[in-house]
Amino acid sequence: MTTTALSRPDRLLRKDGALSGTLPGPLGDAIDDRVAEALDDYLAEGRLDGRIRPRRSPGGLAALVAAGVAAVLLPWCLILAATLPSTYQADHWKLTWIGLDCGTAVAAGLTAYLLRKQDARAALTAVATGTLLLADAWFDVSTSAAGADHALSLAEAVLLEVPLAICAFVVAGRALRPQT
């Protein structure tokens, strides 16, 4: 059986047009046949030249959704600024802070695990970790009482949480770089 590599070493096209290295059994064969037919169509129409291109539609849709979210949230922030009270008694205060810190710990631990396994998904968990650290710093500083509590929260944010968040974003950036 002669194989020709397409774009990834784990996906090989056999001479008969089916993909090898895919799902075993009848389901795998049916999928292989459908993929082979689609490849034949693309080859016949000259639309397949071996290069992988990003899909345009989902990125365009995602950009449109993100712009819509921003367009709704910016005026909403102005409404909140005008209508929210200066102080508020919060129920479940402990649960809120424990949940935020546990989420940060889980994201950091998962990042460490994925980095150890050299899994590219570590970039996702690193971004989540950095974001949670920044949120923690923001809420610590903005909800702390004046005086020593505020000074301690500010010091913790400046000396620990923000630098750790920056490190997490650097890790994510490095994990997303193409390997050469």
mmCIF file of all heavy atoms in Angstrom, residues 86-126:
data_model
loop_
_atom_site.group_PDB
_atom_site.id
_atom_site.type_symbol
_atom_site.label_atom_id
_atom_site.label_comp_id
_atom_site.label_asym_id
_atom_site.label_seq_id
_atom_site.Cartn_x
_atom_site.Cartn_y
_atom_site.Cartn_z
ATOM 1 N N SER A 86 -23.301 53.107 45.783
ATOM 2 C CA SER A 86 -21.873 53.136 46.151
ATOM 3 C C SER A 86 -21.495 51.933 46.996
ATOM 4 O O SER A 86 -20.378 51.429 46.899
ATOM 5 C CB SER A 86 -21.535 54.387 46.948
ATOM 6 O OG SER A 86 -22.048 55.521 46.339
ATOM 7 N N THR A 87 -22.376 51.492 47.847
ATOM 8 C CA THR A 87 -22.109 50.341 48.712
ATOM 9 C C THR A 87 -23.227 49.332 48.544
ATOM 10 O O THR A 87 -24.338 49.666 48.132
ATOM 11 C CB THR A 87 -22.022 50.764 50.192
ATOM 12 O OG1 THR A 87 -23.280 51.316 50.587
ATOM 13 C CG2 THR A 87 -20.911 51.768 50.409
ATOM 14 N N TYR A 88 -22.908 48.096 48.928
ATOM 15 C CA TYR A 88 -23.881 47.026 48.777
ATOM 16 C C TYR A 88 -23.505 45.908 49.735
ATOM 17 O O TYR A 88 -22.332 45.567 49.859
ATOM 18 C CB TYR A 88 -23.883 46.509 47.331
ATOM 19 C CG TYR A 88 -24.892 45.432 47.069
ATOM 20 C CD1 TYR A 88 -26.232 45.732 46.889
ATOM 21 C CD2 TYR A 88 -24.504 44.100 46.996
ATOM 22 C CE1 TYR A 88 -27.163 44.750 46.642
ATOM 23 C CE2 TYR A 88 -25.427 43.103 46.746
ATOM 24 C CZ TYR A 88 -26.757 43.435 46.574
ATOM 25 O OH TYR A 88 -27.685 42.454 46.331
ATOM 26 N N GLN A 89 -24.476 45.351 50.414
ATOM 27 C CA GLN A 89 -24.266 44.211 51.287
ATOM 28 C C GLN A 89 -24.422 42.943 50.446
ATOM 29 O O GLN A 89 -25.483 42.700 49.885
ATOM 30 C CB GLN A 89 -25.289 44.210 52.433
ATOM 31 C CG GLN A 89 -25.202 43.028 53.369
ATOM 32 C CD GLN A 89 -23.903 43.012 54.164
ATOM 33 O OE1 GLN A 89 -23.406 44.069 54.556
ATOM 34 N NE2 GLN A 89 -23.363 41.841 54.388
ATOM 35 N N ALA A 90 -23.352 42.170 50.317
ATOM 36 C CA ALA A 90 -23.377 40.991 49.454
ATOM 37 C C ALA A 90 -23.576 39.721 50.266
ATOM 38 O O ALA A 90 -22.903 39.507 51.269
ATOM 39 C CB ALA A 90 -22.084 40.892 48.671
ATOM 40 N N ASP A 91 -24.523 38.909 49.819
ATOM 41 C CA ASP A 91 -24.690 37.571 50.392
ATOM 42 C C ASP A 91 -23.671 36.650 49.725
ATOM 43 O O ASP A 91 -23.193 36.923 48.632
ATOM 44 C CB ASP A 91 -26.102 37.050 50.131
ATOM 45 C CG ASP A 91 -27.163 37.862 50.858
ATOM 46 O OD1 ASP A 91 -26.839 38.449 51.911
ATOM 47 O OD2 ASP A 91 -28.307 37.925 50.365
ATOM 48 N N HIS A 92 -23.321 35.577 50.369
ATOM 49 C CA HIS A 92 -22.395 34.578 49.828
ATOM 50 C C HIS A 92 -21.011 35.165 49.544
ATOM 51 O O HIS A 92 -20.345 34.782 48.577
ATOM 52 C CB HIS A 92 -22.969 33.924 48.565
ATOM 53 C CG HIS A 92 -24.369 33.453 48.717
ATOM 54 N ND1 HIS A 92 -24.711 32.434 49.567
ATOM 55 C CD2 HIS A 92 -25.525 33.887 48.149
ATOM 56 C CE1 HIS A 92 -26.017 32.243 49.506
ATOM 57 N NE2 HIS A 92 -26.532 33.108 48.659
ATOM 58 N N TRP A 93 -20.552 36.108 50.362
ATOM 59 C CA TRP A 93 -19.263 36.760 50.189
ATOM 60 C C TRP A 93 -18.120 35.750 50.205
ATOM 61 O O TRP A 93 -17.254 35.771 49.340
ATOM 62 C CB TRP A 93 -19.097 37.809 51.291
ATOM 63 C CG TRP A 93 -17.891 38.664 51.165
ATOM 64 C CD1 TRP A 93 -16.766 38.620 51.926
ATOM 65 C CD2 TRP A 93 -17.669 39.716 50.227
ATOM 66 N NE1 TRP A 93 -15.864 39.563 51.521
ATOM 67 C CE2 TRP A 93 -16.398 40.257 50.477
ATOM 68 C CE3 TRP A 93 -18.427 40.250 49.184
ATOM 69 C CZ2 TRP A 93 -15.859 41.300 49.737
ATOM 70 C CZ3 TRP A 93 -17.886 41.289 48.454
ATOM 71 C CH2 TRP A 93 -16.615 41.796 48.745
ATOM 72 N N LYS A 94 -18.140 34.845 51.188
ATOM 73 C CA LYS A 94 -17.076 33.832 51.282
ATOM 74 C C LYS A 94 -17.066 32.928 50.058
ATOM 75 O O LYS A 94 -16.006 32.622 49.502
ATOM 76 C CB LYS A 94 -17.254 32.970 52.534
ATOM 77 C CG LYS A 94 -16.864 33.635 53.817
ATOM 78 C CD LYS A 94 -17.036 32.645 54.966
ATOM 79 C CE LYS A 94 -16.710 33.298 56.289
ATOM 80 N NZ LYS A 94 -16.874 32.358 57.403
ATOM 81 N N LEU A 95 -18.249 32.494 49.643
ATOM 82 C CA LEU A 95 -18.356 31.612 48.484
ATOM 83 C C LEU A 95 -17.794 32.285 47.227
ATOM 84 O O LEU A 95 -17.102 31.644 46.425
ATOM 85 C CB LEU A 95 -19.811 31.207 48.252
ATOM 86 C CG LEU A 95 -20.082 30.294 47.060
ATOM 87 C CD1 LEU A 95 -19.382 28.965 47.241
ATOM 88 C CD2 LEU A 95 -21.574 30.100 46.881
ATOM 89 N N THR A 96 -18.047 33.560 47.077
ATOM 90 C CA THR A 96 -17.552 34.299 45.923
ATOM 91 C C THR A 96 -16.027 34.282 45.872
ATOM 92 O O THR A 96 -15.429 33.949 44.842
ATOM 93 C CB THR A 96 -18.059 35.749 45.965
ATOM 94 O OG1 THR A 96 -19.490 35.736 45.948
ATOM 95 C CG2 THR A 96 -17.540 36.562 44.798
ATOM 96 N N TRP A 97 -15.391 34.638 46.994
ATOM 97 C CA TRP A 97 -13.932 34.714 47.019
ATOM 98 C C TRP A 97 -13.285 33.336 46.962
ATOM 99 O O TRP A 97 -12.273 33.149 46.286
ATOM 100 C CB TRP A 97 -13.450 35.486 48.246
ATOM 101 C CG TRP A 97 -13.731 36.933 48.054
ATOM 102 C CD1 TRP A 97 -14.666 37.676 48.704
ATOM 103 C CD2 TRP A 97 -13.111 37.805 47.116
ATOM 104 N NE1 TRP A 97 -14.658 38.967 48.232
ATOM 105 C CE2 TRP A 97 -13.704 39.078 47.254
ATOM 106 C CE3 TRP A 97 -12.111 37.655 46.173
ATOM 107 C CZ2 TRP A 97 -13.333 40.170 46.493
ATOM 108 C CZ3 TRP A 97 -11.739 38.743 45.398
ATOM 109 C CH2 TRP A 97 -12.340 39.977 45.569
ATOM 110 N N ILE A 98 -13.867 32.373 47.645
ATOM 111 C CA ILE A 98 -13.322 31.009 47.595
ATOM 112 C C ILE A 98 -13.447 30.455 46.180
ATOM 113 O O ILE A 98 -12.517 29.830 45.660
ATOM 114 C CB ILE A 98 -14.036 30.102 48.626
ATOM 115 C CG1 ILE A 98 -13.668 30.541 50.045
ATOM 116 C CG2 ILE A 98 -13.683 28.637 48.404
ATOM 117 C CD1 ILE A 98 -14.522 29.905 51.125
ATOM 118 N N GLY A 99 -14.581 30.711 45.538
ATOM 119 C CA GLY A 99 -14.779 30.240 44.161
ATOM 120 C C GLY A 99 -13.784 30.843 43.190
ATOM 121 O O GLY A 99 -13.221 30.149 42.343
ATOM 122 N N LEU A 100 -13.533 32.151 43.328
ATOM 123 C CA LEU A 100 -12.577 32.815 42.445
ATOM 124 C C LEU A 100 -11.171 32.263 42.663
ATOM 125 O O LEU A 100 -10.460 31.947 41.703
ATOM 126 C CB LEU A 100 -12.598 34.329 42.671
ATOM 127 C CG LEU A 100 -11.636 35.157 41.820
ATOM 128 C CD1 LEU A 100 -11.881 34.945 40.332
ATOM 129 C CD2 LEU A 100 -11.756 36.622 42.180
ATOM 130 N N ASP A 101 -10.762 32.124 43.913
ATOM 131 C CA ASP A 101 -9.419 31.605 44.198
ATOM 132 C C ASP A 101 -9.276 30.139 43.800
ATOM 133 O O ASP A 101 -8.226 29.733 43.288
ATOM 134 C CB ASP A 101 -9.072 31.815 45.672
ATOM 135 C CG ASP A 101 -8.810 33.286 45.992
ATOM 136 O OD1 ASP A 101 -8.558 34.066 45.051
ATOM 137 O OD2 ASP A 101 -8.854 33.651 47.174
ATOM 138 N N CYS A 102 -10.323 29.339 44.013
ATOM 139 C CA CYS A 102 -10.266 27.931 43.587
ATOM 140 C C CYS A 102 -10.191 27.827 42.064
ATOM 141 O O CYS A 102 -9.429 27.007 41.530
ATOM 142 C CB CYS A 102 -11.480 27.159 44.104
ATOM 143 S SG CYS A 102 -11.393 26.760 45.846
ATOM 144 N N GLY A 103 -10.958 28.649 41.365
ATOM 145 C CA GLY A 103 -10.901 28.655 39.906
ATOM 146 C C GLY A 103 -9.519 29.019 39.395
ATOM 147 O O GLY A 103 -9.001 28.413 38.451
ATOM 148 N N THR A 104 -8.897 29.999 40.050
ATOM 149 C CA THR A 104 -7.546 30.398 39.675
ATOM 150 C C THR A 104 -6.557 29.264 39.933
ATOM 151 O O THR A 104 -5.689 28.980 39.100
ATOM 152 C CB THR A 104 -7.125 31.668 40.449
ATOM 153 O OG1 THR A 104 -8.107 32.686 40.239
ATOM 154 C CG2 THR A 104 -5.778 32.176 39.991
ATOM 155 N N ALA A 105 -6.698 28.610 41.070
ATOM 156 C CA ALA A 105 -5.802 27.501 41.412
ATOM 157 C C ALA A 105 -5.964 26.339 40.430
ATOM 158 O O ALA A 105 -4.965 25.750 39.983
ATOM 159 C CB ALA A 105 -6.060 27.034 42.839
ATOM 160 N N VAL A 106 -7.198 26.019 40.070
ATOM 161 C CA VAL A 106 -7.444 24.931 39.123
ATOM 162 C C VAL A 106 -6.860 25.284 37.754
ATOM 163 O O VAL A 106 -6.198 24.455 37.106
ATOM 164 C CB VAL A 106 -8.951 24.611 39.022
ATOM 165 C CG1 VAL A 106 -9.261 23.716 37.831
ATOM 166 C CG2 VAL A 106 -9.442 23.974 40.313
ATOM 167 N N ALA A 107 -7.079 26.517 37.301
ATOM 168 C CA ALA A 107 -6.538 26.936 35.996
ATOM 169 C C ALA A 107 -5.010 26.893 36.003
ATOM 170 O O ALA A 107 -4.393 26.422 35.041
ATOM 171 C CB ALA A 107 -7.036 28.338 35.652
ATOM 172 N N ALA A 108 -4.379 27.347 37.090
ATOM 173 C CA ALA A 108 -2.918 27.325 37.182
ATOM 174 C C ALA A 108 -2.402 25.883 37.223
ATOM 175 O O ALA A 108 -1.416 25.548 36.562
ATOM 176 C CB ALA A 108 -2.448 28.092 38.412
ATOM 177 N N GLY A 109 -3.064 25.037 37.984
ATOM 178 C CA GLY A 109 -2.658 23.636 38.062
ATOM 179 C C GLY A 109 -2.807 22.925 36.735
ATOM 180 O O GLY A 109 -1.925 22.155 36.322
ATOM 181 N N LEU A 110 -3.894 23.194 36.029
ATOM 182 C CA LEU A 110 -4.104 22.582 34.721
ATOM 183 C C LEU A 110 -3.077 23.096 33.719
ATOM 184 O O LEU A 110 -2.575 22.333 32.885
ATOM 185 C CB LEU A 110 -5.520 22.853 34.233
ATOM 186 C CG LEU A 110 -5.982 22.119 32.989
ATOM 187 C CD1 LEU A 110 -5.785 20.612 33.121
ATOM 188 C CD2 LEU A 110 -7.432 22.438 32.698
ATOM 189 N N THR A 111 -2.731 24.370 33.828
ATOM 190 C CA THR A 111 -1.687 24.921 32.960
ATOM 191 C C THR A 111 -0.362 24.200 33.203
ATOM 192 O O THR A 111 0.329 23.811 32.253
ATOM 193 C CB THR A 111 -1.521 26.443 33.195
ATOM 194 O OG1 THR A 111 -2.760 27.088 32.908
ATOM 195 C CG2 THR A 111 -0.430 27.025 32.316
ATOM 196 N N ALA A 112 -0.007 24.028 34.469
ATOM 197 C CA ALA A 112 1.242 23.339 34.798
ATOM 198 C C ALA A 112 1.237 21.914 34.242
ATOM 199 O O ALA A 112 2.226 21.458 33.659
ATOM 200 C CB ALA A 112 1.448 23.317 36.308
ATOM 201 N N TYR A 113 0.131 21.216 34.404
ATOM 202 C CA TYR A 113 0.008 19.844 33.902
ATOM 203 C C TYR A 113 0.173 19.802 32.378
ATOM 204 O O TYR A 113 0.924 18.984 31.838
ATOM 205 C CB TYR A 113 -1.344 19.260 34.314
ATOM 206 C CG TYR A 113 -1.630 17.923 33.689
ATOM 207 C CD1 TYR A 113 -1.017 16.762 34.171
ATOM 208 C CD2 TYR A 113 -2.503 17.813 32.617
ATOM 209 C CE1 TYR A 113 -1.266 15.531 33.588
ATOM 210 C CE2 TYR A 113 -2.757 16.585 32.025
ATOM 211 C CZ TYR A 113 -2.139 15.455 32.516
ATOM 212 O OH TYR A 113 -2.397 14.234 31.926
ATOM 213 N N LEU A 114 -0.538 20.699 31.682
ATOM 214 C CA LEU A 114 -0.475 20.708 30.226
ATOM 215 C C LEU A 114 0.899 21.136 29.716
ATOM 216 O O LEU A 114 1.374 20.630 28.694
ATOM 217 C CB LEU A 114 -1.569 21.610 29.650
ATOM 218 C CG LEU A 114 -2.998 21.088 29.851
ATOM 219 C CD1 LEU A 114 -4.015 22.135 29.430
ATOM 220 C CD2 LEU A 114 -3.216 19.783 29.109
ATOM 221 N N LEU A 115 1.538 22.057 30.418
ATOM 222 C CA LEU A 115 2.903 22.437 30.040
ATOM 223 C C LEU A 115 3.846 21.258 30.212
ATOM 224 O O LEU A 115 4.712 21.022 29.378
ATOM 225 C CB LEU A 115 3.386 23.625 30.872
ATOM 226 C CG LEU A 115 2.793 24.982 30.511
ATOM 227 C CD1 LEU A 115 3.189 26.018 31.550
ATOM 228 C CD2 LEU A 115 3.225 25.415 29.122
ATOM 229 N N ARG A 116 3.684 20.524 31.293
ATOM 230 C CA ARG A 116 4.535 19.354 31.546
ATOM 231 C C ARG A 116 4.364 18.311 30.449
ATOM 232 O O ARG A 116 5.313 17.659 30.039
ATOM 233 C CB ARG A 116 4.190 18.768 32.915
ATOM 234 C CG ARG A 116 5.006 17.578 33.297
ATOM 235 C CD ARG A 116 6.343 18.012 33.845
ATOM 236 N NE ARG A 116 7.051 16.847 34.339
ATOM 237 C CZ ARG A 116 8.259 16.527 33.943
ATOM 238 N NH1 ARG A 116 8.920 17.284 33.117
ATOM 239 N NH2 ARG A 116 8.849 15.453 34.403
ATOM 240 N N LYS A 117 3.132 18.177 29.959
ATOM 241 C CA LYS A 117 2.827 17.222 28.888
ATOM 242 C C LYS A 117 3.133 17.802 27.504
ATOM 243 O O LYS A 117 2.923 17.131 26.507
ATOM 244 C CB LYS A 117 1.349 16.813 28.938
ATOM 245 C CG LYS A 117 0.957 16.061 30.174
ATOM 246 C CD LYS A 117 1.562 14.694 30.140
ATOM 247 C CE LYS A 117 1.077 13.859 31.303
ATOM 248 N NZ LYS A 117 1.690 12.545 31.320
ATOM 249 N N GLN A 118 3.584 19.041 27.447
ATOM 250 C CA GLN A 118 3.864 19.760 26.207
ATOM 251 C C GLN A 118 2.641 19.799 25.298
ATOM 252 O O GLN A 118 2.728 19.633 24.076
ATOM 253 C CB GLN A 118 5.073 19.166 25.493
ATOM 254 C CG GLN A 118 6.334 19.295 26.300
ATOM 255 C CD GLN A 118 7.543 18.716 25.597
ATOM 256 O OE1 GLN A 118 7.421 17.995 24.618
ATOM 257 N NE2 GLN A 118 8.710 19.031 26.111
ATOM 258 N N ASP A 119 1.493 20.037 25.913
ATOM 259 C CA ASP A 119 0.213 20.115 25.214
ATOM 260 C C ASP A 119 -0.051 21.575 24.854
ATOM 261 O O ASP A 119 0.029 22.457 25.699
ATOM 262 C CB ASP A 119 -0.890 19.589 26.138
ATOM 263 C CG ASP A 119 -2.214 19.396 25.427
ATOM 264 O OD1 ASP A 119 -2.550 20.200 24.540
ATOM 265 O OD2 ASP A 119 -2.915 18.435 25.794
ATOM 266 N N ALA A 120 -0.361 21.828 23.597
ATOM 267 C CA ALA A 120 -0.588 23.200 23.123
ATOM 268 C C ALA A 120 -1.780 23.856 23.802
ATOM 269 O O ALA A 120 -1.872 25.082 23.842
ATOM 270 C CB ALA A 120 -0.788 23.200 21.612
ATOM 271 N N ARG A 121 -2.674 23.054 24.361
ATOM 272 C CA ARG A 121 -3.837 23.634 25.048
ATOM 273 C C ARG A 121 -3.450 24.370 26.319
ATOM 274 O O ARG A 121 -4.266 25.071 26.909
ATOM 275 C CB ARG A 121 -4.871 22.545 25.346
ATOM 276 C CG ARG A 121 -5.491 21.994 24.073
ATOM 277 C CD ARG A 121 -6.412 20.853 24.362
ATOM 278 N NE ARG A 121 -5.614 19.719 24.819
ATOM 279 C CZ ARG A 121 -6.113 18.536 25.136
ATOM 280 N NH1 ARG A 121 -7.403 18.334 25.058
ATOM 281 N NH2 ARG A 121 -5.337 17.555 25.536
ATOM 282 N N ALA A 122 -2.192 24.274 26.729
ATOM 283 C CA ALA A 122 -1.710 25.041 27.876
ATOM 284 C C ALA A 122 -1.877 26.536 27.627
ATOM 285 O O ALA A 122 -2.041 27.302 28.571
ATOM 286 C CB ALA A 122 -0.244 24.705 28.163
ATOM 287 N N ALA A 123 -1.852 26.945 26.366
ATOM 288 C CA ALA A 123 -2.062 28.365 26.043
ATOM 289 C C ALA A 123 -3.441 28.825 26.510
ATOM 290 O O ALA A 123 -3.588 29.927 27.044
ATOM 291 C CB ALA A 123 -1.908 28.600 24.547
ATOM 292 N N LEU A 124 -4.436 27.990 26.331
ATOM 293 C CA LEU A 124 -5.794 28.350 26.744
ATOM 294 C C LEU A 124 -5.905 28.473 28.261
ATOM 295 O O LEU A 124 -6.484 29.436 28.776
ATOM 296 C CB LEU A 124 -6.793 27.303 26.237
ATOM 297 C CG LEU A 124 -6.872 27.129 24.732
ATOM 298 C CD1 LEU A 124 -7.752 25.944 24.379
ATOM 299 C CD2 LEU A 124 -7.375 28.399 24.085
ATOM 300 N N THR A 125 -5.360 27.509 28.969
ATOM 301 C CA THR A 125 -5.464 27.559 30.432
ATOM 302 C C THR A 125 -4.584 28.660 31.003
ATOM 303 O O THR A 125 -4.918 29.242 32.034
ATOM 304 C CB THR A 125 -5.113 26.192 31.055
ATOM 305 O OG1 THR A 125 -3.795 25.814 30.653
ATOM 306 C CG2 THR A 125 -6.117 25.125 30.632
ATOM 307 N N ALA A 126 -3.477 28.976 30.340
ATOM 308 C CA ALA A 126 -2.622 30.072 30.798
ATOM 309 C C ALA A 126 -3.352 31.409 30.657
ATOM 310 O O ALA A 126 -3.285 32.266 31.546
ATOM 311 C CB ALA A 126 -1.308 30.090 30.025
#
